[in-house]
Amino acid sequence: MTAPRTVAIDARKAPEDCATMVDVRQGVDALDRALVTLLAERQRYMDAAARIKPNRDAVFDQARIDDVVAKVLKAAEPAGLSPDIAEPVWRLLIDRCIAHEFGTWDKTRV
């Protein structure tokens, strides 16, 4: 079994210590690189789901979507992430992941 990759985030100033837009952009770019790594791992879980799910009808699961969004919103608050950002971002992420999973499911069953 392969262990999940540890995500390193490049050195950056804390947001409250940024004095220039260069500082801000360096921080955002560092976080974006880490997010890409995390999203790639999440996508691999969607590939695993497509491999495991017994039929195509199991790919879309509204109850699971609602559960994921609720968990994200619960985690967002103490992290200081606005629900106005968290909810639409995760709903779009879930939508795109479901589309990816459908494609993967179809490719592996043809």
Side-chain angles (χ1 to χ4, degrees), residues 26-93:
Q26 286 174 341
V28 168
D29 291 348
L31 292 172
D32 285 347
R33 286 187 292 276
L35 286 169
V36 166
T37 300
L38 289 169
L39 289 171
E41 182 174 351
R42 191 182 197 285
Q43 178 181 301
R44 291 192 300 276
Y45 281 106
M46 298 304 94
D47 293 338
R51 175 177 44 83
I52 293 166
K53 288 181 180 175
N55 58 60
R56 197 173 195 277
D57 291 339
V59 173
F60 182 88
D61 181 347
Q62 187 62 53
R64 175 62 180 152
I65 293 168
D66 295 341
D67 181 55
V68 169
V69 171
K71 288 175 183 173
V72 165
L73 291 173
K74 185 175 180 183
E77 184 179 345
L81 177 60
S82 167
D84 292 336
I85 294 174
E87 185 166 358
V89 167
W90 256 267
R91 287 196 183 278
L92 180 59
L93 175 62

